[in-house]
Amino acid sequence: MPENDEKTRTGLSRRQMLTAGGASILATAATAATALPASAATTTSADASADGTPEQIHLTWGDDPARSVVVSWATPGQASGARVLIGQHQIPAEERPYTDGMNGETTYTYHARIRHLQPGTTYSYAVTADNDANAASPFSATFTTAPKGRAKFRFTSFGDLATPNTAWVLSYGQSAYAVGAVESFQPLFHLLNGDLCYADLNPMVQPEVWRDFGNNNQSSAAHRPWMPAPGNHEIEFNNGPQGFTSYLTRYTLPSNGLPQFEGRWYSFQVGSVLFVSLSADDVVYQDAGAFVAGPAALVPAASTGNEPIEPGTSFYINGYSSGEQTRWLEETLRDGRQDPSVDWIIVQMHQCPCSSSKIGNGSDAALRAAWVPLFDRYQVDLVLSGHDHDYERSFPTRGIDHNVGTVTATGATVDTWRPHPVTTVDSGTFDTSQGTVYLILGCGGTSANLDIYGLDTADGDTQARVFIAPNRPIPSATPGTYLRVGAQATEDAIWSAQRDTSTGYGIAVFDVDPGGRGDGQTSITVTQYHALGADPVNPTTGAKGAPTSDYTVFETFTLVRPRNDAQGHQDSQGD
Ligand SMILES: [Fe+2]
């Protein structure tokens, strides 16, 4: 850890003293950023016996990270007068409840949008309600808004976090240390690349899993925005048209301008970086959402009124936006590349265009075919994924090598849409105007490390498994039960540059340097820190490990590209 806890606490205390007043803040409740029905904009009445004590407190960016932040939280019961206190202002929260379609429990969430903030400024805030058990001393924390214009900043990322409560399927103690790792690096914000808590794998206690997730994250996410992307494990039976109700209810995310699809995908700009967060389940072949393997049906609580879900049922949402997301993506990338204030475009999504995990999911040809040509056309610099619980980095790629895959079952040649590396020299510095770098960061905190990678034993090349068709449920050898097959093809993974075989756990730290006007060059230094010894069982060595707070450097590399304002210098701030 680069900073210990004491330093962190000291730093926050110091900043808290700097934040009283000075900014003009208008008090407004968050407008509904999802298509979910919202109750009254401000809560004024609730059962007097209800517990409105805020918990699971977390921040997200508003539409302009230099000016707006959203504070979100949940309460054990319905809150009365839920609000954020900031400076001399009280900002009423929008109440957004939902009833879980499996166990019938109602969760109350609250969202307060704080607008008209000053860029690059640290603010203190508190969260409370009339029926807050801590009303005399409500929860308080600080956050810092994004800088305006070209400026240095740091962000961090991983996916596949789970919770520290090992009573839940796929939860593991590393998820607590992972949250601590984010805090230790003090990023401006964190990107959480999908598969947040695996509530769908614990279908009768989904709200309880989400609660443990939210309370685990609070120690970081209440201090800096955590920006999520939905993964396959956010797809839950009986929770909305894509199963995202639990996810969408808890997060207020920047608007994508499409009321039917708010919260699923979005973009925001910090400094000279355009961040684009996508919902890859819309385009992947792989069926990996909620699934009933059998032999028993999955029976929702009677109070839900929902029917039993029969064995062999999976919640497959491929194509759910009917192309709307891809159209939005192309427009967003095109506008971003034409914007003189944008140098970098970084995409966040859950599933993997380039993963060679041998025991994980692997890559997906439909995802590649849908979006990699757009990443190429608009020079996306970096794509961050999760899904496979390991760390892998590609060389920069541009273009597609067609018809270079092999169907595993038949040996036939197949098109896996393999991204073409523009270099296979691992120089440590890559010009991403020439090719897109793909990172797999599914290294958050689950109990299932997937850090063993494919190898073609015939020629010694690295090898990736690739989905080339949907893998809908089929009957297994056991009567009454069903399975979903793994990726159906392989390819030589000539795009793969680095794979961490020592642990499946880590965190990526990104330091953006806008560069100077003189050389017209900007850079991002990326350092992958990993948690050695955290694998429950390391698949390469067989060593048995345990969760650890000790994150050390695995590798550092640098991305460079020309500044987009090299001629005009439109933006004078932050140089
Ligand atoms: Fe996943």
Side-chain angles (χ1 to χ4, degrees):
M1 294 287 182
E3 296 185 44
N4 61 30
D5 289 341
E6 185 55 38
K7 282 182 180 173
T8 300
R9 280 195 297 273
T10 304
L12 289 173
S13 298
R14 187 179 65 247
R15 285 202 303 276
Q16 278 178 315
M17 293 188 291
L18 301 175
T19 56
S24 170
I25 305 162
L26 288 186
T28 49
T31 52
T34 75
L36 299 172
S39 66
T42 305
T43 55
T44 54
S45 63
D47 182 342
S49 65
D51 182 355
T53 307
E55 59 176 44
Q56 307 173 52
I57 299 158
H58 62 99
L59 306 174
T60 50
W61 293 127
D63 291 338
D64 179 359
R67 299 284 185 182
S68 56
V69 166
V70 182
V71 184
S72 299
W73 65 98
T75 49
Q78 188 177 21
S80 175
R83 59 196 184 272
V84 164
L85 312 176
I86 182 164
Q88 301 304 309
H89 302 275
Q90 295 197 30
I91 302 181
E94 172 208 350
E95 180 180 276
R96 205 188 298 161
Y98 80 103
T99 299
D100 184 77
M102 292 304 300
N103 72 5
E105 292 178 9
T106 296
T107 297
Y108 294 93
T109 73
Y110 298 88
H111 305 262
R113 191 186 295 271
I114 307 172
R115 292 188 168 101
H116 305 288
L117 298 165
Q118 295 298 313
T121 303
T122 299
Y123 292 89
S124 297
Y125 73 99
V127 184
T128 192
D130 297 341
N131 51 349
D132 175 2
N134 301 322
S137 181
F139 176 89
S140 63
T142 65
F143 64 80
T144 301
T145 52
K148 181 172 169 54
R150 286 184 166 82
K152 291 185 178 182
F153 69 94
R154 166 179 283 185
F155 68 97
T156 53
S157 183
F158 52 62
D160 306 76
L161 181 56
T163 89
N165 183 349
T166 55
W168 311 137
V169 172
L170 233 56
S171 276
Y172 185 49
Q174 193 62 34
S175 70
Y177 292 125
V179 175
V182 176
E183 275 312 277
S184 76
F185 291 109
Q186 297 279 293
L188 182 64
F189 64 98
H190 180 69
L191 296 178
L192 184 56
N193 307 333
D195 281 7
L196 279 52
C197 66
Y198 304 88
D200 71 310
L201 297 179
N202 304 271
M204 296 311 294
V205 287
Q206 290 174 154
E208 286 71 23
V209 179
W210 279 102
R211 186 182 192 190
D212 286 340
F213 165 80
N215 283 330
N216 180 48
N217 296 355
Q218 178 178 296
S219 60
S220 174
H223 300 281
R224 59 203 77 251
W226 278 42
M227 302 301 288
N232 54 298
H233 288 290
E234 275 63 70
I235 302 169
E236 300 169 353
F237 284 125
N238 297 329
N239 277 334
Q242 298 94 32
F244 290 149
T245 296
S246 297
Y247 174 81
L248 295 171
T249 307
R250 286 175 167 79
Y251 287 96
T252 294
L253 297 165
S255 175
N256 59 26
L258 298 164
Q260 189 182 354
F261 297 118
E262 289 286 19
R264 284 112 176 129
W265 63 83
Y266 58 90
S267 67
F268 61 92
Q269 185 175 341
V270 173
S272 60
V273 186
L274 176 66
F275 292 88
V276 180
S277 183
L278 300 174
S279 173
D281 282 287
D282 189 18
V283 300
V284 291
Y285 278 133
Q286 187 185 8
D287 179 358
F291 172 49
V292 181
L298 178 59
V299 184
S303 66
T304 66
N306 289 326
E307 297 293 320
I309 303 165
E310 297 301 325
T313 305
S314 70
F315 198 164
Y316 188 57
I317 63 171
N318 175 284
Y320 77 79
S321 82
S322 302
E324 283 292 309
Q325 182 174 199
T326 299
R327 283 190 283 277
W328 174 92
L329 173 62
E330 172 145 31
E331 191 176 297
T332 299
L333 296 179
R334 187 189 63 226
D335 291 351
R337 267 291 160 246
Q338 292 176 352
D339 184 339
S341 75
V342 172
D343 293 328
W344 301 91
I345 301 179
I346 296 178
V347 167
Q348 168 200 34
M349 60 184 174
H350 180 63
Q351 284 91 339
C352 311
C354 293
S355 171
S356 68
S357 175
K358 184 177 182 179
I359 55 175
N361 300 283
S363 307
D364 195 291
L367 175 57
R368 291 171 169 179
W371 290 346
V372 168
L374 296 179
F375 300 159
D376 285 344
R377 187 175 309 152
Y378 298 104
Q379 295 184 19
V380 168
D381 298 281
L382 190 56
V383 176
L384 311 179
S385 294
H387 205 36
D388 280 341
H389 306 159
D390 55 31
Y391 171 79
E392 182 163 16
R393 169 174 58 85
S394 80
F395 293 110
T397 77
R398 186 118 308 156
I400 299 292
D401 298 329
H402 287 292
N403 300 310
V404 295
T406 303
V407 178
T408 308
T410 65
T413 296
V414 67
D415 192 357
T416 56
W417 286 72
R418 185 177 70 182
H420 177 76
V422 296
T423 178
T424 54
V425 177
D426 202 8
S427 62
T429 300
F430 305 100
D431 182 348
T432 52
S433 70
Q434 303 303 307
T436 303
V437 170
Y438 294 87
L439 291 184
I440 306 303
L441 300 172
C443 46
T446 75
S447 63
N449 53 300
L450 301 172
D451 47 329
I452 188 165
Y453 306 85
L455 191 69
D456 184 341
T457 51
D459 59 14
D461 287 343
T462 57
Q463 189 178 60
R465 299 159 67 238
V466 187
F467 281 93
I468 53 167
N471 60 326
R472 303 306 309 280
I474 57 174
S476 78
T478 304
T481 68
Y482 295 79
L483 57 77
R484 295 182 292 196
V485 299
Q488 307 96 340
T490 58
E491 68 183 19
D492 282 345
I494 60 172
W495 41 261
S496 183
Q498 184 61 275
R499 315 190 283 190
D500 189 351
T501 59
S502 59
T503 175
Y505 304 92
I507 179 172
V509 180
F510 303 81
D511 288 305
V512 180
D513 186 338
R517 291 175 178 175
D519 61 8
Q521 189 95 335
T522 170
S523 67
I524 300 178
T525 301
V526 186
T527 305
Q528 171 71 9
Y529 290 80
H530 65 173
L532 282 173
D535 279 5
V537 178
N538 181 277
T540 302
T541 65
K544 294 183 178 178
T548 175
S549 63
D550 190 13
Y551 283 76
T552 55
V553 173
F554 172 64
E555 69 159 345
T556 299
F557 57 96
T558 303
L559 310 178
V560 297
R561 70 172 295 126
R563 279 170 57 134
N564 202 19
D565 68 344
Q567 301 303 316
H569 308 312
Q570 288 90 339
D571 195 326
S572 63
Q573 297 194 50
D575 286 313

